[in-house]
Amino acid sequence: MAEQTRKVLFSKERIAAEINRLAKEISNDYGNQEIMLVGVLKGSFLFVADLIREIKSPAVIDFVRLASYGAGTKTSGKVELRKDLEMSIKDRHVIIVEDIIDSGYTLQFLYKELLQRQPKSLKICTLIDKSIRREVDIKADYIGISMEDGFIIGYGLDHNEKYRDLPDIYLIEE
Ligand code: IMP
Ligand code: MG
């Protein structure tokens, strides 16, 4: 990606402020009940790391790795579970922690899969919501930042596995 095509869309300060707000909302909702955060790899690795440190409620963590077939900037709608949870979610308060919801296929797949395992409750927290791009009916309970169209990178988000290490989120201009 050429330097001149990079534009900071959400700064690390903005991201930190939104995470602080989300953590307060979650801590208020769950109080002293234990939460299990399910981080969706790889994109959410920084988000879930920052979020869990701000949440006051007792929290445990596990991860899944999901992938939609194909590279590039468009989803194919076909999702596969590449790495399953190691812990049982039965009778736990579970929050799926996702980097971004675009078409919604990835989360719809995961939500249905986890619901079958009988958690006590199941909610969704996403850092970024591109709601106008939704192709299936799925909504997040906790939303960091809503945005319109456009492909973004940084703070865990990649383009062909690159740029996950950038502290800010950038818009890739077409
Ligand atoms: P969905 O299944 O279309 O909702 O796509 C969700 C997944 O696609 C996310 O978890 C990301 O991994 C990826 N994705 C969607 N939009 C972007 C983006 O703008 N930048 C980087 N990854 C994205
Ligand atoms: Mg992802």
Side-chain angles (χ1 to χ4, degrees):
M1 184 177 53
E3 205 58 43
Q4 61 272 22
T5 64
R6 271 188 194 185
K7 193 168 93 191
V8 173
L9 191 60
F10 308 122
S11 69
K12 54 181 183 294
E13 292 79 15
R14 167 88 192 271
I15 295 167
E18 302 295 352
I19 291 175
N20 185 272
R21 174 183 58 78
L22 287 173
K24 281 193 180 124
E25 286 177 23
I26 292 170
S27 306
N28 275 335
D29 290 352
Y30 291 85
N32 292 326
Q33 302 179 95
E34 189 179 85
I35 311 167
M36 180 171 166
L37 299 181
V38 172
V40 182
L41 294 172
K42 299 177 192 176
S44 74
F45 80 109
L46 293 175
F47 177 40
V48 76
D50 286 339
L51 185 68
I52 198 168
R53 284 181 286 180
E54 301 260 346
I55 292 174
K56 299 278 179 282
S57 311
V60 296
I61 190 164
D62 203 351
F63 294 93
V64 290
R65 170 90 171 107
L66 295 171
S68 45
Y69 296 100
T73 59
K74 280 211 97 166
T75 182
S76 64
K78 282 187 227 147
V79 184
E80 67 174 358
L81 186 60
R82 291 223 183 127
K83 178 208 172 294
D84 203 344
L85 292 169
E86 289 169 12
M87 295 159 75
S88 167
I89 64 168
K90 193 166 189 310
D91 297 324
R92 287 178 182 274
H93 291 295
V94 176
I95 305 178
I96 299 170
V97 181
E98 177 62 299
D99 51 359
I100 185 165
I101 314 177
D102 188 34
S103 69
Y105 284 115
T106 305
L107 260 186
Q108 186 188 51
F109 172 88
L110 182 63
Y111 191 87
K112 280 187 182 164
E113 172 61 39
L114 296 190
L115 209 53
Q116 287 175 12
R117 303 183 190 185
Q118 300 173 302
K120 198 179 280 179
S121 64
L122 183 60
K123 288 194 176 178
I124 296 170
C125 175
T126 189
L127 179 62
I128 311 284
D129 185 23
K130 288 190 201 170
S131 59
I132 58 159
R133 303 233 332 148
R134 205 74 88 249
E135 289 173 30
V136 293
D137 183 28
I138 191 116
K139 277 196 195 73
D141 302 281
Y142 304 101
I143 298 168
I145 303 170
S146 296
M147 66 175 282
E148 305 277 297
D149 214 349
F151 197 82
I152 56 175
I153 50 144
Y155 194 71
L157 293 157
D158 74 308
H159 182 228
N160 296 337
E161 291 301 325
K162 288 197 284 193
Y163 315 117
R164 294 193 197 272
D165 54 327
L166 301 176
D168 305 279
I169 291 178
Y170 295 79
L171 184 67
I172 297 187
E173 284 160 322
E174 314 285 299

